[in-house]
């Protein structure tokens, strides 16, 4: 997604008005409390170059690219119900790890003028989107089970001895645990909001949510069935998640999987707001249409990006197809029909390396199609 500084003026002249700058925690803090000032200075220079070209700047935090020393810290990985540990850092349930990330982000803010950044992208910290890792349910490390370093902003685990898929005391207990599990993702987003408010950031925040996820009826069925393994494991219950976010004017619902093939890649329709969120009709919608409907329910603007190059769920041929039926055309149609205020092409490098054509992208932007 990183925008090429050397091509920023060309992109700006051709209607690509937003530039993406992506941080890497590993590069910025290769050893604990030892910051790479040369790297952070280069990030600042990239921000300044994009601004000089007349573009607004979106900043990705890169906390999902941690330095190796992070995993030497206690309880630094997610643990699922089988005891498997994740490859991702656990910034959801580990307050001490959050504090290490806070120190890094403070160093970033000391070098990069956040007043020159327009938008910050928010994730679950350890993942590139607001998700848990793939697979099971990732709330079984010591702190998620109400250990000493559970973030104080989180409610205690309502059933720390329970395992999804096993018999629950009653359905109410399963529901309380499922809601708590999704609320933990809300909490890690709110943690990032607090950090950047304290650092003086006054722009807006894109909340990165991919795919259709678990819609209301499927969520209810999963709770009634005792949370079968994997059904809600990623935490992607977007209706519930967005309903729990704070009401504020600087949050943007972000579809990070536009034109991912779901729902036949349908766009939004004028009467979508009249369709109930728990209607069976929404179960056939694309991720873009579904998250757009959820965003409107909770008064949020909408942005997003297409599914990236060489993704398992998205054919490469579709990505490269330059016709009106290819990903570029389809993604832009979805974005326009659903009222996106910003659309990003994933990824900038593929617009210039021959995978797809930047000229075609620029032409479609100019033509409005």
């Amino acid at each position: 997604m990183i925008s090429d500084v050397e091509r920023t003026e060309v992109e700006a002249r051709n209607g690509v008005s937003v530039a993406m700058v992506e941080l890497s925690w590993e590069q910025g803090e290769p050893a604990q409390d030892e910051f790479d000032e040369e790297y952070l200075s280069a990030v600042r220079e990239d921000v300044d170059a994009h601004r000089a070209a007349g573009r607004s700047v979106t900043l990705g935090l890169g906390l999902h690219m941690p330095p190796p020393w992070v995993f030497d810290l206690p309880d630094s990985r997610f643990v699922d119900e089988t005891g498997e540990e994740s490859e991702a850092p656990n910034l959801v349930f580990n307050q001490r790890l959050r504090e290490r990330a806070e120190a890094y982000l403070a160093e970033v803010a000391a070098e990069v003028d956040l007043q020159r950044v327009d938008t910050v992208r928010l994730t679950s910290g350890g993942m590139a989107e607001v998700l848990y890792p793939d697979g099971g349910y990732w709330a079984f490390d010591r702190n998620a089970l109400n250990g000493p370093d559970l973030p104080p902003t989180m409610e205690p685990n309502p059933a720390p001895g329970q395992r999804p898929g096993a018999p629950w005391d009653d359905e109410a207990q399963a529901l309380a645990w499922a809601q708590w599990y999704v609320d933990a993702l809300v909490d890690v987003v709110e943690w990032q909001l607090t950090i950047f408010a304290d650092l003086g950031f006054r722009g807006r925040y894109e909340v990165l949510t991919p795919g259709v996820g678990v819609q209301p009826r499927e969520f209810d069925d999963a709770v009634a069935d005792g949370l079968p393994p994997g059904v809600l494991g990623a935490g992607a219950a977007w209706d519930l998640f967005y309903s729990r976010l704070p009401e504020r004017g600087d949050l943007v619902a972000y579809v990070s999987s536009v034109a991912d093939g779901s729902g036949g890649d349908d766009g939004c329709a004028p009467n979508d707001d009249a369709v109930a969120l728990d209607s069976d009709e929404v179960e056939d919608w694309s991720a873009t249409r579904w998250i757009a409907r959820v965003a409107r329910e909770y008064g949020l603007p909408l942005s997003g990006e297409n599914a990236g190059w060489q993704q398992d769920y998205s054919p490469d041929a579709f990505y490269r197809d330059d016709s009106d039926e290819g990903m570029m055309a389809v993604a832009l149609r979805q974005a326009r029909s659903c009222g996106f205020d910003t659309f990003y092409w994933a990824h900038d490098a593929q617009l210039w390396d021959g995978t797809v054509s930047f000229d075609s992208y620029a032409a479609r932007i100019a033509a409005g199609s």
Side-chain angles (χ1 to χ4, degrees):
M1 187 69 76
I2 299 173
S3 298
D4 187 340
V5 172
E6 294 183 0
R7 294 187 168 97
T8 191
E9 292 183 359
V10 173
E11 293 190 350
R13 286 197 302 270
N14 284 276
V16 185
S17 59
V18 181
M20 178 69 66
V21 175
E22 180 82 44
L23 290 162
S24 164
W25 189 3
E26 180 176 15
Q27 290 182 261
E29 192 181 5
Q32 188 170 345
D33 294 322
E34 294 181 13
F35 301 99
D36 188 331
E37 301 303 334
E38 183 177 350
Y39 167 74
L40 295 177
S41 178
V43 172
R44 183 196 68 230
E45 291 170 1
D46 286 354
V47 170
D48 291 345
H50 292 308
R51 295 286 299 201
R55 303 173 76 181
S56 61
V57 173
T58 296
L59 185 66
L61 303 182
L63 295 174
H64 62 289
M65 298 180 278
W69 60 262
V70 162
F71 296 110
D72 295 331
L73 302 175
D75 305 307
S76 57
R77 298 179 188 271
F78 292 99
V79 178
D80 74 4
E81 71 272 26
T82 70
E84 180 181 349
E85 294 187 340
S86 71
E87 297 296 320
N90 183 355
L91 287 159
V92 176
F93 298 114
N94 190 326
Q95 177 65 20
R96 301 285 82 78
L97 197 57
R98 287 188 183 188
E99 290 168 3
R100 297 310 318 158
E102 288 172 19
Y104 167 64
L105 293 173
E107 192 70 18
V108 169
E111 183 65 37
V112 178
D113 183 359
L114 294 180
Q115 300 307 309
R116 296 179 66 75
V117 172
D118 301 274
T119 305
V120 167
R121 290 157 68 92
L122 303 181
T123 72
S124 60
M127 301 292 289
E129 297 155 310
V130 183
L131 295 172
Y132 293 103
D134 290 336
Y137 292 85
W138 298 93
F140 294 92
D141 63 277
R142 181 176 62 141
N143 294 314
L145 300 176
N146 294 334
D149 291 328
L150 183 71
T153 49
M154 285 190 60
E155 293 293 326
N157 185 329
Q162 183 63 48
R163 294 291 186 274
W168 296 78
D169 290 347
D170 52 44
E171 188 172 317
Q173 185 190 49
L175 175 61
W177 191 92
Q179 290 175 333
W180 172 86
Y181 188 66
V182 175
D183 281 346
L185 293 178
V186 174
D187 184 81
V188 77
V189 167
E190 292 184 316
W191 161 68
Q192 292 165 86
L193 293 173
T194 299
I195 292 171
F196 277 88
D198 291 346
L199 292 174
F201 179 68
R202 297 296 180 263
R204 66 181 202 161
Y205 302 90
E206 293 170 343
V207 185
L208 273 64
T209 47
V212 172
V214 178
Q215 293 176 315
R217 289 194 178 191
E218 187 180 8
F219 181 90
D220 292 344
D221 289 345
V223 168
D225 291 343
L227 302 177
V231 173
L232 188 62
W238 300 135
D239 173 37
L240 178 60
F241 170 79
Y242 277 112
S243 76
R244 305 289 239 243
L245 286 179
E247 294 183 14
R248 43 190 293 167
D250 54 3
L251 295 184
V252 179
Y254 190 96
V255 186
S256 52
S257 58
V258 179
D260 64 354
S262 59
D265 285 326
D266 60 352
C268 296
N271 65 341
D272 281 357
D273 288 358
V275 179
L277 292 172
D278 60 355
S279 166
D280 58 1
E281 183 177 340
V282 304
E283 296 174 11
D284 296 325
W285 288 4
S286 65
T288 302
R289 190 178 183 184
W290 168 240
I291 295 176
R293 172 66 184 89
V294 171
R296 288 192 294 273
E297 181 76 9
Y298 301 111
L300 297 170
L302 190 66
S303 295
E305 67 190 67
N306 59 293
W309 173 239
Q310 294 186 330
Q311 300 295 313
D312 292 341
Y313 59 86
S314 180
D316 291 351
F318 179 51
Y319 186 100
R320 300 189 71 162
D321 185 349
D322 198 31
S323 76
D324 287 346
E325 303 307 317
M327 179 181 285
M328 188 178 290
V330 170
L332 287 170
R333 284 199 297 269
Q334 283 191 306
R336 289 190 171 104
S337 74
C338 293
F340 281 35
D341 63 15
T342 307
F343 175 79
Y344 302 78
W345 182 259
H347 298 92
D348 190 72
Q350 275 71 57
L351 291 171
W352 296 103
D353 67 2
T355 306
V356 291
S357 166
F358 176 77
D359 289 343
S360 293
Y361 187 54
R364 288 191 181 278
I365 292 172
S369 63

